Structure formats: C-alpha cells, structure tokens
C-alpha cells in the first residue's frame, strides 16, 4: 500500500511539473558577439513555428513567445544567421546566452565602368540601356499582367496563367498548405513585418514559409511578377506578393 501511495504521489508531482512547464509561454535570452562577448542590440528574433517576432534591446536581451521544440531564427546585419531550438532546459531556466559570429567579408577594389560612361549627359544617355517592364491587358479582365519583357515566351506564360491558373498555382501551393497558412499570421505581427522590410536576402522569409529561397523567384514568375520586382523588392513586399497570389489560388481552387 505504501509503495502504491508513493507511486501515485510521484506521478502527481511529475504531472504537475509537466503542466507548469507547458504553461511557460515566453523565453528570454541575451545575444552576444562571439569574439568580445559584447551585447548586440536590434537583432531580429523570430519564432518560426508561432510566427512571432522580437528584437534585442541595448543590453542584447530579448523576450519571445515560445514552447519546447519551437525553432528561433536569429538574424543581424554583419553576422551569420542562427537557428536555435527551444529546449526543456531553456524553458525551465527562462533565459540563455546566444553567441553570434561576424561574417567574414573581404572588400576588394571595384572599378565601375559597365557602360563606359563619359560624364556627358548627351552621350551617356545613349550608352545606358533602358529596360521596360511590359504588362499585357486582356479585354474583359479587370487587371493587367506584368511580365517584365516583351517576347513570345513572356506572352505565352501569361496566357497559360490566365486560362489554366489553378493547375499552375497548385504546383507551388498545393503541397505546402500548412506553411502557406502562416502568411496570414506573418502579416499580423508588426515585429515580423518590420524585420522583413529591412531584408532583401529571402533567408528569413524562406525559413518562415518552410521552403528553399531558390523557389521564391520561380513562384513569383508564375504569379506574373516581373524580374525587376523579383530582384529589387524587399522581403516584406515579396511576402505580400506571395500572399496575394496564394489568396487567388484558394479562390480558384474553390471554383
């Protein structure tokens, strides 16, 4: 009888401890430079699973909503990005130290003479090629389709997208419904949006969507965005573009 009571007591304590651990919804940490151990401020910290964001303060400290096994994506200009898994120990201790390593960037002398400019406006205006972004308008449709070039290939891509859009979009969105549902959550969190607005490397966006960043240009091309937009837009603009295209896909799929 005594052994049974001891077992029940131990089971109750374990259950209570597990419940207390699961109730902890926030973790904190201090981000430091791995070389001199100085705190790093304005570091972007994003929980990929919960699509929540945070930034480190002047002391390198951040706090973010997280549970055990969530993945935290940490990025800072000039430093290697880092992914950290939330462990039981981190949740129990509530805080931890995270070291970021500086990127090794070698700056070389660059001679900018792509178009052999002379300094005379009348001459240079003829030397620099002018690239236009073309869009096709179809009678009866409410919007035009941007393609970035004027060629039969571009025109045929637009036609395929217009007359067989569901099949085209399914190739990109049909296999990733869980990841792409995050788009709505990403648009709600101001910290995540602010972080994406300053980025052009597609790394954080790809991590949030659970795709390879090389897939992003292909998705946008099939959503009829020009090459200029794909190359120059920041990650927030790219996210909004994919989100809009995904909403169109869902409407087409229902029809």
């Amino acid at each position: 009888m005594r052994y049974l009571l001891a077992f029940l007591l131990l089971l109750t304590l374990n259950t209570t401890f597990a419940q207390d651990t699961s109730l902890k919804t926030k973790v904190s940490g201090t981000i430091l430079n791995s070389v001199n151990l100085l705190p790093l401020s304005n570091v972007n910290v994003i929980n990929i699973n919960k699509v929540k964001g945070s930034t480190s303060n002047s002391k390198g400290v951040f706090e973010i909503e997280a549970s055990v096994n969530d993945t935290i994506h940490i990025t800072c200009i000039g430093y290697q990005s880092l992914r950290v898994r939330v462990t039981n120990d981190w949740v129990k201790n509530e805080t931890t130290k995270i070291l970021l390593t500086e990127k090794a960037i070698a700056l070389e002398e660059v001679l900018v003479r792509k178009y052999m400019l002379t300094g005379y406006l009348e001459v240079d205006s003829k030397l620099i090629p002018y690239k236009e972004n073309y869009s096709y308008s179809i009678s009866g449709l409410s919007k035009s389709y941007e393609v970035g070039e004027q060629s039969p290939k571009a025109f045929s891509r637009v036609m395929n997208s217009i007359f067989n859009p569901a099949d085209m979009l399914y190739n990109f969105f049909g296999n990733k419904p869980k990841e792409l549902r995050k788009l709505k959550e990403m648009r709600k969190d101001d910290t995540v949006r602010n972080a994406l607005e300053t980025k052009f490397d597609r790394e954080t966006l790809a991590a949030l969507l659970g795709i390879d960043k090389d897939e992003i240009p292909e998705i946008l091309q099939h959503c009829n965005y020009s090459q200029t937009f794909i190359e120059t837009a920041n990650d927030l603009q790219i996210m909004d573009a994919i989100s809009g295209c995904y909403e169109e896909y869902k409407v087409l799929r229902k029809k």
Side-chain angles (χ1 to χ4, degrees), residues 232-245:
T232 61
N234 61 42
D235 284 3
L236 178 60
Q237 293 170 321
I238 295 293
M239 182 198 74
D240 287 337
I242 294 176
S243 179
C245 193

Side-chain angles (χ1 to χ4, degrees), residues 46-49 67 69-73 83-86:
I46 297 177
N47 186 328
I48 294 175
N49 301 84
S67 301
N69 293 326
D70 282 356
T71 299
I72 307 299
H73 189 71
R83 291 193 192 186
V84 181
R85 183 65 59 86
V86 178

